[in-house]
Every structure is written in structure tokens, then in C-alpha cells.
mmCIF file of all heavy atoms in Angstrom:
data_model
loop_
_atom_site.group_PDB
_atom_site.id
_atom_site.type_symbol
_atom_site.label_atom_id
_atom_site.label_comp_id
_atom_site.label_asym_id
_atom_site.label_seq_id
_atom_site.Cartn_x
_atom_site.Cartn_y
_atom_site.Cartn_z
ATOM 1 N N TYR H 599 -5.930 2.856 -25.778
ATOM 2 C CA TYR H 599 -6.540 2.130 -24.656
ATOM 3 C C TYR H 599 -5.736 2.320 -23.361
ATOM 4 O O TYR H 599 -5.995 1.669 -22.361
ATOM 5 C CB TYR H 599 -6.623 0.632 -24.992
ATOM 6 C CG TYR H 599 -5.272 0.045 -25.334
ATOM 7 C CD1 TYR H 599 -4.447 -0.489 -24.340
ATOM 8 C CD2 TYR H 599 -4.790 0.072 -26.646
ATOM 9 C CE1 TYR H 599 -3.196 -0.999 -24.645
ATOM 10 C CE2 TYR H 599 -3.541 -0.438 -26.963
ATOM 11 C CZ TYR H 599 -2.754 -0.976 -25.951
ATOM 12 O OH TYR H 599 -1.515 -1.463 -26.250
ATOM 13 N N PHE H 600 -4.756 3.214 -23.397
ATOM 14 C CA PHE H 600 -3.880 3.448 -22.244
ATOM 15 C C PHE H 600 -3.651 4.939 -22.066
ATOM 16 O O PHE H 600 -3.995 5.748 -22.927
ATOM 17 C CB PHE H 600 -2.539 2.727 -22.438
ATOM 18 C CG PHE H 600 -1.745 3.219 -23.623
ATOM 19 C CD1 PHE H 600 -0.828 4.254 -23.488
ATOM 20 C CD2 PHE H 600 -1.923 2.660 -24.880
ATOM 21 C CE1 PHE H 600 -0.113 4.722 -24.572
ATOM 22 C CE2 PHE H 600 -1.210 3.115 -25.979
ATOM 23 C CZ PHE H 600 -0.303 4.154 -25.826
ATOM 24 N N LYS H 601 -3.052 5.288 -20.916
ATOM 25 C CA LYS H 601 -2.664 6.674 -20.657
ATOM 26 C C LYS H 601 -1.173 6.722 -20.376
ATOM 27 O O LYS H 601 -0.614 5.801 -19.762
ATOM 28 C CB LYS H 601 -3.410 7.221 -19.436
ATOM 29 C CG LYS H 601 -4.752 7.808 -19.758
ATOM 30 C CD LYS H 601 -5.262 8.579 -18.546
ATOM 31 C CE LYS H 601 -6.534 9.318 -18.878
ATOM 32 N NZ LYS H 601 -7.061 10.005 -17.710
ATOM 33 N N ASN H 602 -0.543 7.828 -20.789
ATOM 34 C CA ASN H 602 0.870 8.080 -20.503
ATOM 35 C C ASN H 602 0.995 9.021 -19.312
ATOM 36 O O ASN H 602 0.223 9.972 -19.196
ATOM 37 C CB ASN H 602 1.549 8.776 -21.699
ATOM 38 C CG ASN H 602 1.700 7.869 -22.892
ATOM 39 O OD1 ASN H 602 2.126 6.735 -22.775
ATOM 40 N ND2 ASN H 602 1.342 8.379 -24.067
ATOM 41 N N TYR H 603 1.965 8.769 -18.462
ATOM 42 C CA TYR H 603 2.327 9.678 -17.366
ATOM 43 C C TYR H 603 3.840 9.740 -17.285
ATOM 44 O O TYR H 603 4.529 8.760 -17.600
ATOM 45 C CB TYR H 603 1.805 9.178 -16.017
ATOM 46 C CG TYR H 603 0.304 9.219 -15.870
ATOM 47 C CD1 TYR H 603 -0.463 8.081 -16.094
ATOM 48 C CD2 TYR H 603 -0.341 10.395 -15.487
ATOM 49 C CE1 TYR H 603 -1.838 8.115 -15.953
ATOM 50 C CE2 TYR H 603 -1.720 10.430 -15.344
ATOM 51 C CZ TYR H 603 -2.461 9.287 -15.576
ATOM 52 O OH TYR H 603 -3.825 9.329 -15.433
ATOM 53 N N LEU H 604 4.352 10.881 -16.847
ATOM 54 C CA LEU H 604 5.798 10.987 -16.604
ATOM 55 C C LEU H 604 6.084 10.397 -15.230
ATOM 56 O O LEU H 604 5.443 10.766 -14.239
ATOM 57 C CB LEU H 604 6.241 12.447 -16.664
ATOM 58 C CG LEU H 604 6.099 13.120 -18.027
ATOM 59 C CD1 LEU H 604 6.496 14.595 -17.938
ATOM 60 C CD2 LEU H 604 6.923 12.402 -19.092
ATOM 61 N N LEU H 605 7.033 9.493 -15.183
ATOM 62 C CA LEU H 605 7.374 8.812 -13.936
ATOM 63 C C LEU H 605 7.793 9.797 -12.846
ATOM 64 O O LEU H 605 7.443 9.633 -11.686
ATOM 65 C CB LEU H 605 8.472 7.768 -14.191
ATOM 66 C CG LEU H 605 8.948 6.951 -13.002
ATOM 67 C CD1 LEU H 605 7.803 6.256 -12.286
ATOM 68 C CD2 LEU H 605 9.982 5.933 -13.442
ATOM 69 N N ASP H 606 8.516 10.848 -13.227
ATOM 70 C CA ASP H 606 9.021 11.806 -12.235
ATOM 71 C C ASP H 606 7.916 12.558 -11.492
ATOM 72 O O ASP H 606 8.120 13.004 -10.371
ATOM 73 C CB ASP H 606 9.963 12.829 -12.899
ATOM 74 C CG ASP H 606 11.319 12.215 -13.236
ATOM 75 O OD1 ASP H 606 11.698 11.208 -12.604
ATOM 76 O OD2 ASP H 606 11.985 12.741 -14.140
ATOM 77 N N THR H 607 6.752 12.714 -12.120
ATOM 78 C CA THR H 607 5.703 13.540 -11.507
ATOM 79 C C THR H 607 4.402 12.787 -11.268
ATOM 80 O O THR H 607 3.400 13.384 -10.883
ATOM 81 C CB THR H 607 5.402 14.758 -12.413
ATOM 82 O OG1 THR H 607 5.009 14.275 -13.704
ATOM 83 C CG2 THR H 607 6.604 15.669 -12.526
ATOM 84 N N VAL H 608 4.398 11.476 -11.479
ATOM 85 C CA VAL H 608 3.157 10.710 -11.390
ATOM 86 C C VAL H 608 2.628 10.626 -9.953
ATOM 87 O O VAL H 608 3.398 10.565 -8.993
ATOM 88 C CB VAL H 608 3.360 9.288 -11.971
ATOM 89 C CG1 VAL H 608 4.219 8.426 -11.042
ATOM 90 C CG2 VAL H 608 2.023 8.628 -12.239
ATOM 91 N N ASN H 609 1.312 10.650 -9.835
ATOM 92 C CA ASN H 609 0.637 10.372 -8.571
ATOM 93 C C ASN H 609 0.227 8.899 -8.642
ATOM 94 O O ASN H 609 -0.759 8.551 -9.282
ATOM 95 C CB ASN H 609 -0.584 11.283 -8.413
ATOM 96 C CG ASN H 609 -1.393 10.959 -7.169
ATOM 97 O OD1 ASN H 609 -1.365 9.853 -6.635
ATOM 98 N ND2 ASN H 609 -2.137 11.946 -6.704
ATOM 99 N N ILE H 610 1.002 8.030 -8.001
ATOM 100 C CA ILE H 610 0.801 6.584 -8.146
ATOM 101 C C ILE H 610 -0.570 6.155 -7.610
ATOM 102 O O ILE H 610 -1.216 5.263 -8.157
ATOM 103 C CB ILE H 610 1.960 5.773 -7.522
ATOM 104 C CG1 ILE H 610 1.943 4.321 -8.028
ATOM 105 C CG2 ILE H 610 1.929 5.816 -6.014
ATOM 106 C CD1 ILE H 610 2.230 4.167 -9.488
ATOM 107 N N GLY H 611 -1.061 6.827 -6.575
ATOM 108 C CA GLY H 611 -2.392 6.520 -6.033
ATOM 109 C C GLY H 611 -3.478 6.755 -7.073
ATOM 110 O O GLY H 611 -4.412 5.964 -7.209
ATOM 111 N N LYS H 612 -3.342 7.842 -7.824
ATOM 112 C CA LYS H 612 -4.311 8.173 -8.882
ATOM 113 C C LYS H 612 -4.270 7.123 -9.993
ATOM 114 O O LYS H 612 -5.308 6.699 -10.514
ATOM 115 C CB LYS H 612 -3.996 9.567 -9.441
ATOM 116 C CG LYS H 612 -4.940 10.036 -10.514
ATOM 117 C CD LYS H 612 -4.544 11.409 -11.037
ATOM 118 C CE LYS H 612 -5.402 11.764 -12.250
ATOM 119 N NZ LYS H 612 -4.879 12.829 -13.049
ATOM 120 N N VAL H 613 -3.072 6.700 -10.350
ATOM 121 C CA VAL H 613 -2.899 5.685 -11.397
ATOM 122 C C VAL H 613 -3.563 4.365 -10.977
ATOM 123 O O VAL H 613 -4.288 3.739 -11.754
ATOM 124 C CB VAL H 613 -1.396 5.466 -11.711
ATOM 125 C CG1 VAL H 613 -1.173 4.196 -12.514
ATOM 126 C CG2 VAL H 613 -0.834 6.669 -12.450
ATOM 127 N N ILE H 614 -3.333 3.943 -9.736
ATOM 128 C CA ILE H 614 -3.925 2.699 -9.238
ATOM 129 C C ILE H 614 -5.446 2.798 -9.264
ATOM 130 O O ILE H 614 -6.137 1.873 -9.706
ATOM 131 C CB ILE H 614 -3.402 2.383 -7.819
ATOM 132 C CG1 ILE H 614 -1.900 2.070 -7.869
ATOM 133 C CG2 ILE H 614 -4.182 1.231 -7.193
ATOM 134 C CD1 ILE H 614 -1.217 2.051 -6.514
ATOM 135 N N LYS H 615 -5.973 3.929 -8.824
ATOM 136 C CA LYS H 615 -7.425 4.136 -8.810
ATOM 137 C C LYS H 615 -7.989 4.067 -10.231
ATOM 138 O O LYS H 615 -9.019 3.448 -10.473
ATOM 139 C CB LYS H 615 -7.757 5.481 -8.168
ATOM 140 C CG LYS H 615 -9.239 5.660 -7.853
ATOM 141 C CD LYS H 615 -9.513 6.986 -7.207
ATOM 142 C CE LYS H 615 -9.207 6.907 -5.729
ATOM 143 N NZ LYS H 615 -9.599 8.140 -5.014
ATOM 144 N N GLU H 616 -7.305 4.714 -11.189
ATOM 145 C CA GLU H 616 -7.764 4.686 -12.585
ATOM 146 C C GLU H 616 -7.801 3.261 -13.129
ATOM 147 O O GLU H 616 -8.751 2.870 -13.801
ATOM 148 C CB GLU H 616 -6.834 5.529 -13.468
ATOM 149 C CG GLU H 616 -7.198 6.989 -13.507
ATOM 150 C CD GLU H 616 -6.449 7.722 -14.601
ATOM 151 O OE1 GLU H 616 -5.215 7.830 -14.492
ATOM 152 O OE2 GLU H 616 -7.103 8.169 -15.542
ATOM 153 N N LEU H 617 -6.766 2.484 -12.837
ATOM 154 C CA LEU H 617 -6.727 1.105 -13.331
ATOM 155 C C LEU H 617 -7.825 0.259 -12.682
ATOM 156 O O LEU H 617 -8.403 -0.608 -13.327
ATOM 157 C CB LEU H 617 -5.352 0.481 -13.091
ATOM 158 C CG LEU H 617 -4.252 0.969 -14.025
ATOM 159 C CD1 LEU H 617 -2.891 0.488 -13.560
ATOM 160 C CD2 LEU H 617 -4.496 0.520 -15.457
ATOM 161 N N ASN H 618 -8.101 0.505 -11.403
ATOM 162 C CA ASN H 618 -9.114 -0.278 -10.689
ATOM 163 C C ASN H 618 -10.545 0.109 -11.038
ATOM 164 O O ASN H 618 -11.436 -0.720 -11.000
ATOM 165 C CB ASN H 618 -8.922 -0.155 -9.172
ATOM 166 C CG ASN H 618 -7.777 -1.008 -8.672
ATOM 167 O OD1 ASN H 618 -7.465 -2.035 -9.250
ATOM 168 N ND2 ASN H 618 -7.158 -0.578 -7.593
ATOM 169 N N LYS H 619 -10.778 1.380 -11.358
ATOM 170 C CA LYS H 619 -12.157 1.863 -11.446
ATOM 171 C C LYS H 619 -12.609 2.325 -12.835
ATOM 172 O O LYS H 619 -13.715 2.792 -12.993
ATOM 173 C CB LYS H 619 -12.358 3.008 -10.449
ATOM 174 C CG LYS H 619 -12.035 2.639 -9.011
ATOM 175 C CD LYS H 619 -12.911 3.388 -8.053
ATOM 176 C CE LYS H 619 -12.574 3.196 -6.610
ATOM 177 N NZ LYS H 619 -12.686 1.889 -6.073
ATOM 178 N N THR H 620 -11.727 2.231 -13.839
ATOM 179 C CA THR H 620 -12.111 2.676 -15.184
ATOM 180 C C THR H 620 -11.838 1.548 -16.189
ATOM 181 O O THR H 620 -11.135 0.588 -15.869
ATOM 182 C CB THR H 620 -11.309 3.928 -15.622
ATOM 183 O OG1 THR H 620 -9.948 3.536 -15.875
ATOM 184 C CG2 THR H 620 -11.362 5.036 -14.576
ATOM 185 N N PRO H 621 -12.361 1.674 -17.410
ATOM 186 C CA PRO H 621 -12.100 0.654 -18.435
ATOM 187 C C PRO H 621 -10.679 0.722 -19.021
ATOM 188 O O PRO H 621 -10.320 -0.100 -19.866
ATOM 189 C CB PRO H 621 -13.134 0.953 -19.532
ATOM 190 C CG PRO H 621 -13.955 2.088 -19.074
ATOM 191 C CD PRO H 621 -13.350 2.652 -17.835
ATOM 192 N N LEU H 622 -9.881 1.677 -18.571
ATOM 193 C CA LEU H 622 -8.498 1.804 -19.034
ATOM 194 C C LEU H 622 -7.805 0.438 -18.961
ATOM 195 O O LEU H 622 -7.910 -0.249 -17.954
ATOM 196 C CB LEU H 622 -7.783 2.801 -18.120
ATOM 197 C CG LEU H 622 -6.538 3.499 -18.606
ATOM 198 C CD1 LEU H 622 -6.834 4.312 -19.863
ATOM 199 C CD2 LEU H 622 -6.026 4.436 -17.517
ATOM 200 N N GLU H 623 -7.089 0.054 -20.016
ATOM 201 C CA GLU H 623 -6.462 -1.269 -20.054
ATOM 202 C C GLU H 623 -5.057 -1.289 -19.467
ATOM 203 O O GLU H 623 -4.590 -2.313 -18.975
ATOM 204 C CB GLU H 623 -6.433 -1.800 -21.482
ATOM 205 C CG GLU H 623 -7.823 -2.128 -22.006
ATOM 206 C CD GLU H 623 -7.796 -2.636 -23.429
ATOM 207 O OE1 GLU H 623 -6.812 -3.279 -23.830
ATOM 208 O OE2 GLU H 623 -8.771 -2.365 -24.151
ATOM 209 N N GLU H 624 -4.354 -0.159 -19.556
ATOM 210 C CA GLU H 624 -3.009 -0.082 -18.969
ATOM 211 C C GLU H 624 -2.610 1.373 -18.816
ATOM 212 O O GLU H 624 -3.243 2.271 -19.372
ATOM 213 C CB GLU H 624 -1.975 -0.839 -19.809
ATOM 214 C CG GLU H 624 -1.662 -0.228 -21.149
ATOM 215 C CD GLU H 624 -0.704 -1.091 -21.982
ATOM 216 O OE1 GLU H 624 -0.928 -2.297 -22.136
ATOM 217 O OE2 GLU H 624 0.274 -0.509 -22.483
ATOM 218 N N VAL H 625 -1.550 1.557 -18.051
ATOM 219 C CA VAL H 625 -0.946 2.879 -17.879
ATOM 220 C C VAL H 625 0.525 2.731 -18.231
ATOM 221 O O VAL H 625 1.145 1.706 -17.929
ATOM 222 C CB VAL H 625 -1.121 3.385 -16.428
ATOM 223 C CG1 VAL H 625 -0.201 4.551 -16.136
ATOM 224 C CG2 VAL H 625 -2.567 3.777 -16.170
ATOM 225 N N ARG H 626 1.077 3.748 -18.871
ATOM 226 C CA ARG H 626 2.507 3.738 -19.194
ATOM 227 C C ARG H 626 3.183 4.879 -18.457
ATOM 228 O O ARG H 626 2.764 6.029 -18.566
ATOM 229 C CB ARG H 626 2.702 3.864 -20.704
ATOM 230 C CG ARG H 626 2.095 2.676 -21.427
ATOM 231 C CD ARG H 626 2.349 2.695 -22.893
ATOM 232 N NE ARG H 626 1.645 1.582 -23.512
ATOM 233 C CZ ARG H 626 1.730 1.274 -24.794
ATOM 234 N NH1 ARG H 626 2.506 2.001 -25.591
ATOM 235 N NH2 ARG H 626 1.067 0.264 -25.283
ATOM 236 N N LEU H 627 4.204 4.531 -17.704
ATOM 237 C CA LEU H 627 5.002 5.524 -16.994
ATOM 238 C C LEU H 627 6.299 5.697 -17.764
ATOM 239 O O LEU H 627 7.024 4.732 -17.999
ATOM 240 C CB LEU H 627 5.276 5.082 -15.558
ATOM 241 C CG LEU H 627 4.038 4.868 -14.684
ATOM 242 C CD1 LEU H 627 4.459 4.508 -13.267
ATOM 243 C CD2 LEU H 627 3.129 6.077 -14.679
ATOM 244 N N ILE H 628 6.580 6.944 -18.136
ATOM 245 C CA ILE H 628 7.691 7.230 -19.034
ATOM 246 C C ILE H 628 8.824 7.940 -18.301
ATOM 247 O O ILE H 628 8.600 8.847 -17.505
ATOM 248 C CB ILE H 628 7.198 8.085 -20.223
ATOM 249 C CG1 ILE H 628 6.258 7.243 -21.080
ATOM 250 C CG2 ILE H 628 8.342 8.569 -21.092
ATOM 251 C CD1 ILE H 628 4.921 7.788 -21.232
#
């Protein structure tokens, strides 16, 4: 129910958009 992203290369704007506009329940930054 979540997606993983590497913190060093994440596009934070994309992550925020995904959380706001999709059924995704959480994002994990590693």
C-alpha cells in the first residue's frame, strides 16, 4: 500500500502529488 524511494534522489514534489492525488497510503524514503 506504499512506495519506496531513495532519499538521495527523490523528487519531493512528485511524492507530495502522489500522496495527494492517488489512493497510495504512504511513501517511504530510504
